[in-house]
Amino acid sequence: MSQSTLDRPITLWLTGASSGIGEALAQAMLAQGHHVIATGRRREPLETLAAAYPDQVTVAPADTTDRGALNGLTATFAEQAPLQMAVLNAGTCEYLDVEHFDADVIEHNLHTNVTGTARSVEAVLPALREARRQGLPAELVIVGSSAWWFPFGRAEGYGASKAALAYLAHSLRADLAAEGIRVTLVSPGFVKTPLTDRNDFPMPCLIEATEAADRIVKGLQRGASEIHFPRRFTLTLKLLGALPQSWVDRLAARMTRSSKEHPE
């Protein structure tokens, strides 16, 4: 098993740290003594986090889709060096009403989830490479979703963006292997966050953000390259996705009709 980057206290960069999984993950990392460079669009929650953990938090507000804002963090990464881990968690979820198909919904999901993550990789990769030059472990963590394993109705934009993130993570893992930079993909199921609070449909196996954070941290400590949870949900999705395509198509269509006929 590969050595964990979290074998001792490190400095890490966490995006989407102001709410949901990101906020819970920040709390979990800080409780273990790590230093967190916390990024989110809103400064106030980041300041609250810093007040609770003096000297362990560097407040670094930024929109991950803004290349200029991310470039502004270069000095922060240098000041807090060595930076050994980046957890790219910032994202959004917008659903599509196919009766009023709006390509902007697809674009918004892709821009925030894919372009924002790619720009974050661009911003932080030099810092991770510097850690490797010093002989230290370095890791890039991309938080995606298990949603892309099965074609859920209304999730054309969200699912497509998460499928793209999975491919991005796997390709980066191949490209960065020679440099010794680990790449880990996190694929959660339904997690209770401000984003999922807006959902108007049943969410099987829903877990709290604190539980999601605990599972992520434990997976990173094991040196896992793929982390997905809750397993009773994610393994079911994988099994469904492995069915013959005609079966998948019929099942997805039936689930979509049922959702429309019996809205929550």
Side-chain angles (χ1 to χ4, degrees):
M1 182 176 294
S2 301
Q3 177 189 13
S4 169
T5 310
L6 299 180
D7 281 344
R8 59 181 181 79
I10 64 166
T11 294
L12 62 103
W13 181 40
L14 172 63
T15 69
S18 57
S19 65
I21 294 176
E23 180 181 17
L25 190 53
Q27 297 273 3
M29 292 290 193
L30 291 164
Q32 294 193 0
H34 302 294
H35 186 101
V36 176
I37 301 173
T39 291
R41 292 183 178 182
R42 296 176 295 128
R43 174 179 285 273
E44 184 178 353
L46 305 179
E47 296 283 7
T48 300
L49 193 65
Y53 292 88
D55 304 321
Q56 275 185 260
V57 177
T58 298
V59 174
D63 180 343
T64 56
T65 65
D66 184 340
R67 177 180 278 118
L70 290 177
N71 287 342
L73 297 182
T74 301
T76 300
F77 296 156
E79 290 167 2
Q80 300 297 329
L83 192 155
Q84 292 182 246
M85 177 180 286
V87 183
L88 308 184
N89 165 76
T92 191
C93 177
E94 296 182 39
Y95 292 108
L96 180 72
D97 179 358
V98 75
E99 294 179 4
H100 305 282
F101 192 96
D102 184 357
D104 285 347
V105 174
I106 309 290
E107 181 180 0
H108 294 162
N109 279 285
L110 290 170
H111 185 59
T112 300
N113 297 342
V114 183
T115 303
T117 299
R119 287 180 174 164
S120 297
V121 172
E122 179 183 49
V124 77
L125 203 48
L128 296 178
R129 283 176 166 144
E130 179 57 33
R132 288 299 299 139
R133 278 192 286 271
Q134 297 179 32
L136 299 170
E139 186 164 0
L140 183 65
V141 183
I142 293 178
V143 180
S145 169
S146 60
W148 70 278
W149 293 337
F150 187 85
F152 292 104
R154 297 194 295 163
E156 289 87 345
Y158 179 71
S161 72
K162 296 304 183 177
L165 281 184
Y167 195 95
L168 174 66
H170 293 154
S171 292
L172 283 170
R173 183 180 298 156
D175 276 336
L176 295 174
E179 299 181 50
I181 297 176
R182 292 178 53 84
V183 178
T184 297
L185 176 64
V186 180
S187 302
F190 289 112
V191 179
K192 183 173 174 51
T193 68
L195 277 178
T196 57
D197 285 344
R198 303 183 313 200
N199 289 349
D200 60 355
F201 53 84
M203 292 179 283
C205 304
L206 180 71
I207 65 173
E208 296 292 332
T210 51
E211 183 178 349
D214 181 64
R215 304 243 186 147
I216 293 170
V217 171
K218 287 180 178 177
L220 294 174
Q221 289 172 332
R222 291 196 309 270
S225 59
E226 301 279 333
I227 301 170
H228 59 92
F229 56 84
R231 295 184 74 84
R232 62 188 182 281
F233 178 71
T234 57
L235 291 177
T236 298
L237 283 189
K238 284 191 171 186
L239 288 172
L240 290 176
L243 292 172
Q245 189 60 51
S246 61
W247 295 17
V248 172
D249 292 342
R250 287 197 295 271
L251 180 57
R254 187 178 302 121
M255 290 171 63
T256 299
R257 285 198 303 273
S258 176
S259 176
K260 289 179 178 179
E261 292 166 1
H262 305 286
E264 285 296 297

